[in-house]
């Protein structure tokens, strides 16, 4: 995916003219796949584009559905709400090649085995999509992105049906994205927190194509069944345009991982709680800080679950331990006169977290291992508060 929209000015002038010309017999349409890189968050997943090459017409263009701009007003809010708009961009192949060569990403080209009618349908569909009123689309990470758009266009262009070889590996959406972020523990932690139980559904081979590398694999093994009963391979040939630059530094997993931080927090809070027990104190400040953070995180999860239109964020079982009601609890903890109310809040929270811990592996949502120490931290503080409030007050 590309960060900024850049289109050569002269291309804007010649594209409408070239669109009036049919592709020649020498033309070739191919899928360009850039492999994942650690350059940016959005490059961890790779990128897909469509190349139109027609030497007879002097055409060598790359159509790219991954154009977005971080500087768009309210970009973060709109992205969280599921209202991010991406654009179809067009660039000269040479510019595309140089960009990925400088990035050091491996790029594979798959020449599609299309007849002349199919190539023309796909070419004209791209031209229509690039018209100003059509080039912007509502982006969805799993179901409508830079990888699924080319797949859909190819499927519509072929005369017949594309048959994909079903993948025997039973992978969920979470499995797929966590594999991409495996060297970035904090990205994985954030995704596991924000994405709910729909992400743990087993994917079909077609759904897996939201990731470019799975689209490459699926296309390599796919065949086209024509109305006449004939069958041919979808990909005519495959070649590596750019080899991976192994001299470029790659990110390595940090020791300062979510699991390390969460265990450290648990140990620190446990130590302070033991000191509080010996002194027969509550140490309200600990609860105010912990439950304030949990409440703010809960607000974010509530927004993603019930306000955002992302299809994979609701339901989210993490709302059992991270929810906005913790902020109400903070008010109760802060006022001594509300000790009785605080007692009941902690009692309910302790009971809820106990059930959560007991049913950890039967909940229909995969939790990140780093969640366990965090849940235990809140569980311990609520359990201790129930004990000390009842005993002292």
């Amino acid at each position: 995916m590309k960060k900024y929209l850049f289109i050569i000015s002269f291309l804007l002038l010649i594209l409408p003219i070239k669109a009036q010309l049919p592709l020649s017999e020498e033309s070739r349409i191919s899928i360009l796949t850039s492999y994942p890189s650690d350059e940016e968050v959005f490059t961890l997943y790779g990128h897909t584009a469509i190349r139109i090459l027609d030497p007879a017409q002097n055409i060598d263009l790359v159509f790219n559905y991954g154009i977005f701009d971080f500087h768009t007003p309210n970009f973060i809010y709109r992205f969280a709400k599921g209202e991010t708009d991406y654009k179809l961009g067009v660039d000269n192949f040479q510019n595309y090649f140089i960009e990925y060569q400088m990035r050091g990403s491996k790029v594979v080209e798959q020449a599609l085995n299309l007849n002349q009618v199919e190539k023309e349908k796909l070419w004209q569909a791209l031209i229509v999509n690039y018209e100003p009123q059509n080039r912007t689309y509502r982006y969805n990470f799993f179901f409508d992105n830079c990888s699924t758009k080319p797949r859909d266009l190819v499927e519509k262009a072929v005369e017949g049906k594309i048959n994909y070889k079903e993948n025997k590996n039973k992978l969920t959406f979470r499995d797929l994205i966590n594999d991409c972020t495996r060297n970035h523990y904090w990205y994985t932690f954030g995704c596991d927190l924000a994405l709910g139980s729909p992400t743990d559904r087993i994917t079909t081979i077609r759904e897996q194509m939201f990731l470019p590398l799975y689209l490459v694999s699926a296309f390599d093994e796919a065949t086209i069944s024509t109305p006449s009963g004939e069958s041919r391979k979808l990909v005519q040939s495959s070649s590596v345009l750019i080899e991976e630059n192994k001299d470029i530094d790659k990110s390595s997993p940090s020791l300062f991982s979510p699991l390390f931080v969460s265990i450290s927090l648990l140990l620190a809070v446990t130590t302070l709680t033991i000191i509080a027990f010996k002194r027969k104190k509550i140490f309200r400040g600990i609860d105010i800080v912990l439950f304030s953070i949990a409440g703010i995180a809960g607000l974010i999860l509530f927004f993603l679950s019930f306000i955002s239109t992302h299809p994979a964020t609701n339901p989210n079982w993490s709302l059992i331990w991270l929810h906005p009601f913790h902020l109400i609890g903070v008010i109760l903890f802060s006022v001594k006169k509300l000790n009785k109310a605080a007692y009941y809040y902690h009692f309910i929270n302790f009971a809820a977290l106990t059930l959560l811990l007991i049913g950890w592996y039967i909940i229909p949502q995969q939790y990140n291992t780093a969640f366990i120490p965090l849940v235990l931290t809140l569980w311990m503080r609520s359990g201790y508060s129930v004990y000390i409030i009842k005993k002292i007050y």
Side-chain angles (χ1 to χ4, degrees):
M1 299 179 183
K2 295 183 179 180
K3 186 175 181 180
Y4 299 108
L5 174 60
F6 59 98
I7 302 170
I8 301 176
S9 58
F10 79 87
L11 188 60
L12 294 174
L13 299 176
I14 65 172
L15 188 58
I17 299 174
K18 290 182 179 294
Q20 304 303 317
L21 302 174
L23 294 175
S24 71
E25 293 288 341
E26 300 177 40
S27 63
R28 186 182 71 184
I29 297 181
S30 55
I31 299 296
L32 300 177
T33 303
S34 62
Y35 278 50
S37 71
D38 293 321
E39 186 177 78
E40 299 284 356
V41 176
F42 52 84
T43 64
L44 295 175
Y45 307 98
H47 181 57
T48 302
I50 301 176
R51 182 185 183 186
I52 307 292
L53 174 64
D54 190 348
Q57 307 281 7
N58 196 26
I59 295 175
D60 196 356
L61 302 175
V62 175
F63 287 78
N64 167 21
Y65 282 91
I67 300 300
F68 69 96
D69 188 352
F70 275 133
H71 299 291
T72 302
N74 304 314
F75 179 86
I76 299 299
Y77 171 79
R78 290 177 61 84
F79 184 85
K81 198 170 184 294
E83 297 180 350
T84 310
D85 289 332
Y86 274 45
K87 292 183 179 180
L88 169 62
V90 182
D91 200 2
N92 184 280
F93 172 74
Q94 192 62 30
N95 293 335
Y96 172 94
F97 184 88
I98 293 173
E99 177 183 353
Y100 283 97
Q101 190 176 48
M102 293 178 63
R103 181 181 292 179
S105 297
K106 179 180 178 180
V107 176
V108 170
E109 181 175 26
Q110 295 172 294
L112 300 180
N113 188 19
L114 305 178
N115 59 39
Q116 196 61 27
V117 173
E118 292 168 336
K119 286 189 288 186
E120 190 61 32
K121 284 175 63 178
L122 184 50
W123 165 241
Q124 293 301 326
L126 287 168
I127 297 304
V128 171
N129 280 1
Y130 188 66
E131 291 177 358
Q133 69 273 20
N134 298 330
R135 66 182 61 162
T136 299
Y137 71 98
R138 182 55 50 87
Y139 172 85
N140 182 283
F141 182 74
F142 289 131
F143 303 111
D144 204 2
N145 66 8
C146 73
S147 185
T148 63
K149 283 289 189 183
R151 177 205 62 194
D152 294 345
L153 286 173
V154 173
E155 288 178 346
K156 291 178 181 179
V158 299
E159 296 181 312
K161 179 184 177 182
I162 298 180
N163 304 304
Y164 300 108
K165 184 177 180 180
E166 191 64 35
N167 194 332
K168 295 182 179 180
N169 295 325
K170 302 302 180 182
L171 300 173
T172 65
F173 287 106
R174 196 183 304 274
D175 292 332
L176 294 168
I177 60 176
N178 283 359
D179 182 59
C180 295
T181 60
R182 61 188 178 276
N183 293 327
H184 302 267
Y185 295 149
W186 286 103
Y187 293 157
T188 303
F189 177 85
C191 289
D192 284 341
L193 192 60
L195 297 175
S197 58
T199 318
D200 296 300
R201 176 172 61 80
I202 299 297
T203 57
T204 65
I205 183 64
R206 195 170 181 277
E207 288 173 332
Q208 293 173 8
M209 295 180 206
F210 79 93
L211 290 176
L213 294 192
Y214 284 83
L215 180 68
V216 169
S217 177
F219 269 30
D220 269 338
E221 298 182 321
T223 58
I224 301 175
S225 298
T226 65
S228 61
E230 298 179 351
S231 179
R232 67 180 189 273
K233 290 184 66 65
L234 174 61
V235 174
Q236 189 173 45
S237 63
S238 182
S239 60
V240 178
L241 296 183
I242 303 174
E243 292 285 357
E244 179 185 7
N245 187 348
K246 297 182 180 180
D247 294 331
I248 294 179
D249 293 335
K250 291 188 174 182
S251 297
S252 57
S254 172
L255 294 176
F256 195 67
S257 66
L259 184 59
F260 174 82
V261 172
S262 60
I263 291 176
S264 299
L265 177 64
L266 175 60
L267 293 176
V269 173
T270 300
T271 301
L272 291 172
T273 302
I274 292 173
I275 295 173
F277 173 76
K278 291 180 177 180
R279 297 181 181 180
K280 296 183 179 180
K281 300 288 185 180
I282 296 180
F283 283 9
R284 298 174 187 274
I286 299 176
D287 294 335
I288 291 172
V289 172
L290 287 177
F291 285 85
S292 292
I293 295 173
I296 293 171
L299 279 175
I300 296 173
L301 290 188
F302 183 88
F303 175 86
L304 291 174
S305 297
F306 299 106
I307 299 177
S308 171
T309 59
H310 284 295
T313 56
N314 185 42
N316 189 336
W317 288 78
S318 287
L319 282 166
I320 295 175
W321 65 282
L322 290 178
H323 50 75
F325 294 114
H326 285 321
L327 296 177
I328 297 176
V330 170
I331 297 174
L332 302 179
F333 311 153
S334 303
V335 182
K336 289 186 178 181
K337 292 182 180 181
L338 298 177
N339 277 338
K340 187 174 182 179
Y343 170 86
Y344 286 116
Y345 184 89
H346 277 302
F347 181 86
I348 294 172
N349 189 59
F350 179 77
L353 295 187
T354 299
L355 293 174
L356 174 63
L357 291 169
I358 292 173
W360 191 269
Y361 292 105
I362 62 175
I363 289 175
Q365 180 173 322
Q366 182 180 330
Y367 275 168
N368 192 295
T369 305
F371 294 173
I372 297 176
L374 298 177
V375 174
L376 286 173
T377 301
L378 297 174
W379 175 81
M380 177 182 59
R381 286 305 302 175
S382 281
Y384 174 72
S385 295
V386 168
Y387 165 79
I388 198 69
I389 292 175
K390 187 174 182 180
K391 186 171 183 178
I392 297 178
Y393 299 96

